[in-house]
């Protein structure tokens, strides 16, 4: 991960290695040169026009940016927008749909770092067009109280050290074609809908070392492969799958992650997998999640779990820890402790379950319900 961070830092630097940096301040003047902190411009759009189609960077000086020229800004070419501490771009009270819109172009790269975008319908939106944007990157950003913080289209999206809070959606990828979404060390909290909504994604959604907590819908809703590594999902709610919801034939991989105190009204307190999706779990824990079926997991495809603990999960109907409706479940070094459901308080499966080795049951009201067959031994 450290190599990746160094690479990204160098990439950010390379974009502006020989470019001019322009400075903007809420107390500046658009008649200034903008080339120093002592002579800043007043509006972000003026800084953008100064850079034009050449190589350039923009530094926002401390303050609040709002009103014409500071929101509803269109970015036509590659640019890096950085900021000093305590910079806020706000759409509050402004008749505009978004703070920034980004043009699509096969060679364009856009970098945003170190400031807050708040109170907008859309914080940053990628426009439709005939070319893939090379990449749109967010470093140490804050998105607060936006309806859609980032609307991505035709772009590879990279997000690191960023917070999405108190809005509706975090990241939305609703149209095709599109690029990969990669999220690192990022927090999604107090959102009324999804942290990442990728209904029509065609490339992977990958989340590393990140947190989802106190949200009112699935952390990730996707129709493509999903990777969770060292991720926590806690105190969240949804109709199904408070952590991950997929409803197409894709692969979900979860490692080193924990799902705790999540509640759904339908199926899969932590993870919901529909349409023959498969899930591979390693070195992860599921604790005190609850659902109608599958207190922690509801799966309509193959499930593989290695070094996984299911503890104190609850289902109203069946499958205290997990409910499998199709496909084989392969368990290795898995612990089921104090899970509850009227039928199969450890798990309930409508197909084959293989116990490779070291599958432990303790304190479950009724260990398992298996409609067809069991392969292996319960230890």
């Amino acid at each position: 991960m450290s190599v990746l961070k160094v690479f990204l830092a160098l990439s950010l630097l390379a974009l502006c290695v020989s470019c001019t940096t322009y400075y903007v301040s809420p107390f500046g003047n658009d008649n200034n040169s903008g080339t120093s902190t002592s002579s800043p411009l007043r509006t972000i759009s003026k800084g953008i026009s100064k850079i034009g189609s050449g190589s350039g960077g923009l530094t926002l000086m401390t303050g609040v940016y709002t009103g014409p020229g500071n929101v509803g800004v269109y970015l036509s070419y590659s640019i890096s927008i950085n900021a000093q501490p305590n910079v806020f771009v706000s759409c509050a009270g402004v008749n505009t749909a978004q703070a920034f819109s980004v043009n699509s172009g096969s060679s364009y790269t856009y970098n945003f770092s170190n400031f807050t975008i708040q109170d907008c319908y859309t914080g940053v939106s990628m426009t439709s067009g005939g070319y893939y944007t090379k990449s749109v990157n967010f470093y140490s950003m804050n998105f607060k109280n936006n309806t859609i913080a980032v609307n991505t289209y035709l772009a590879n999206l990279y997000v690191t050290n960023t917070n999405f809070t108190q809005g509706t959606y975090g990241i939305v990828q609703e149209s095709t074609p599109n690029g990969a979404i990669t999220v690192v060390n990022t927090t999604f909290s107090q959102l009324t809908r999804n942290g990442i909504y990728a209904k029509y994604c065609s490339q992977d959604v990958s989340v590393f070392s990140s947190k989802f907590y106190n949200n009112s819908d699935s952390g990730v809703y996707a129709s493509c492969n999903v990777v969770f590594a060292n991720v926590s999902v806690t105190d969240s709610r949804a109709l199904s799958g408070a952590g991950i919801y997929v409803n197409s034939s894709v692969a979900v991989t979860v490692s080193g992650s924990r799902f705790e105190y999540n509640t759904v009204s339908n199926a899969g307190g932590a993870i919901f997998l529909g349409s023959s999706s498969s899930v591979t779990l390693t070195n992860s824990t599921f604790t005190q999640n609850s659902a109608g079926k599958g207190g922690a997991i509801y799966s309509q495809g193959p499930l593989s779990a290695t070094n996984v603990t299911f503890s104190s999960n609850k289902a109203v109907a069946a499958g205290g820890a997990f409910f499998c409706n199709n496909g084989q479940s392969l368990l290795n070094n898995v612990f089921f402790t104090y899970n509850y459901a009227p039928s199969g308080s450890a798990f309930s499966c409508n197909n084959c379950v293989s116990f490779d080795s070291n599958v432990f049951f303790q304190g479950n009201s009724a260990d398992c319900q298996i409609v067809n067959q069991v392969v292996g031994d319960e230890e």
Side-chain angles (χ1 to χ4, degrees):
M1 193 60 65
S2 60
V3 174
L4 177 62
K5 287 181 180 178
V6 169
F7 171 77
L8 289 165
L10 291 174
S11 299
L12 181 60
L13 210 62
L15 183 63
C16 272
V17 68
S18 60
C19 66
T20 300
T21 296
Y22 290 92
Y23 295 87
V24 182
S25 167
F27 309 103
N29 189 313
D30 280 348
N31 292 320
N32 290 339
S33 67
T35 55
S36 70
T37 57
S38 61
S39 184
L41 303 166
R42 186 178 181 278
T43 62
I44 296 171
S45 59
K46 186 64 175 181
I48 301 299
S49 68
K50 287 271 191 180
I51 295 168
S53 60
S55 296
L58 210 61
T59 295
L60 306 183
M61 298 173 65
T62 299
V64 177
Y65 293 80
T66 190
N70 287 317
V71 294
V73 175
Y74 183 68
L75 306 178
S76 300
Y77 303 99
S78 295
I79 192 171
S80 288
I81 302 178
N82 194 14
Q84 295 178 349
N86 299 315
V87 167
F88 303 87
V89 176
S90 174
C91 299
V94 180
N95 186 23
T96 184
Q98 56 210 7
F100 297 95
S101 59
V102 170
N103 183 31
S104 63
S106 58
S107 62
Y108 298 156
T109 296
Y110 301 92
N111 297 305
F112 300 82
S113 57
N114 301 313
F115 63 97
T116 296
I117 297 176
Q118 62 188 33
D119 302 320
C120 299
Y121 182 83
T122 306
V124 178
S125 177
M126 278 128 255
T127 62
S128 60
Y131 301 95
Y132 273 98
T133 299
K134 185 176 180 181
S135 61
V136 179
N137 307 307
F138 296 95
Y139 307 89
S140 302
M141 292 287 292
N142 289 292
F143 292 89
K144 183 177 181 181
N145 196 36
N146 302 289
T147 303
I148 300 173
V150 177
N151 191 355
T152 175
Y153 176 85
L154 285 169
N156 291 312
L157 181 68
Y158 179 82
V159 181
T160 185
N161 297 314
T162 292
N163 295 308
F164 297 87
T165 187
Q166 296 179 8
T168 306
Y169 290 94
I171 297 166
V172 170
Q173 187 184 64
E174 195 171 7
S175 303
T176 57
N178 46 58
I181 296 175
T182 304
V183 175
V184 180
N185 197 31
T186 289
T187 298
F188 300 84
S189 66
Q190 301 178 67
L191 300 173
T192 60
R193 293 300 305 273
N194 311 109
I196 301 172
Y197 179 84
K199 186 176 181 179
Y200 301 106
C201 55
S202 54
Q203 299 190 45
D204 291 0
V205 174
S206 302
V207 184
F208 305 100
S209 303
S210 295
K211 299 177 181 179
F212 298 81
Y213 70 89
N214 195 22
N215 297 305
S216 298
D217 208 340
S218 306
V220 173
Y221 181 114
S223 60
C224 54
N225 295 340
V226 176
V227 176
F228 263 33
N230 302 312
V231 174
S232 66
V233 181
T234 58
D235 296 298
S236 293
R237 302 153 301 283
L239 290 177
S240 294
I244 300 171
Y245 182 104
V246 296
N247 200 21
S248 53
S249 299
V250 298
V252 173
T253 304
V254 176
S255 62
S257 297
R258 60 186 179 90
F259 300 78
E260 299 176 336
Y261 309 107
N262 302 294
T263 302
V264 305
S265 53
N266 292 339
I271 299 174
F272 177 95
L273 302 112
S275 302
S276 301
S277 295
S278 65
V279 61
T280 301
L281 311 170
T282 56
N283 303 316
S284 296
T285 61
F286 296 81
T287 305
Q288 294 194 35
N289 303 286
S290 63
K293 282 187 177 181
I297 298 171
Y298 178 94
S299 177
Q300 293 186 6
L303 181 151
S304 174
T306 303
N307 300 327
V308 175
T309 297
F310 295 94
S311 179
S312 301
N313 301 286
K314 181 180 180 180
V316 174
F322 68 80
F323 183 98
C324 291
N325 202 33
N326 189 29
Q328 187 178 64
S329 299
L330 179 62
L331 310 179
N332 180 25
N333 201 37
V334 176
F335 294 78
F336 295 93
T337 61
Y338 302 100
N339 302 286
Y340 173 80
S343 298
S345 63
F347 57 82
S348 178
C349 288
N350 291 337
N351 210 313
C352 181
V353 177
S354 296
F355 294 179
D356 265 12
S357 62
N358 300 329
V359 178
F360 299 93
F361 299 89
Q362 180 180 356
N364 307 287
S365 60
D367 283 338
C368 53
Q369 178 192 47
I370 304 171
V371 174
N372 289 335
Q373 60 176 321
V374 179
V375 179
D377 295 320
E378 300 182 21
E379 300 184 11

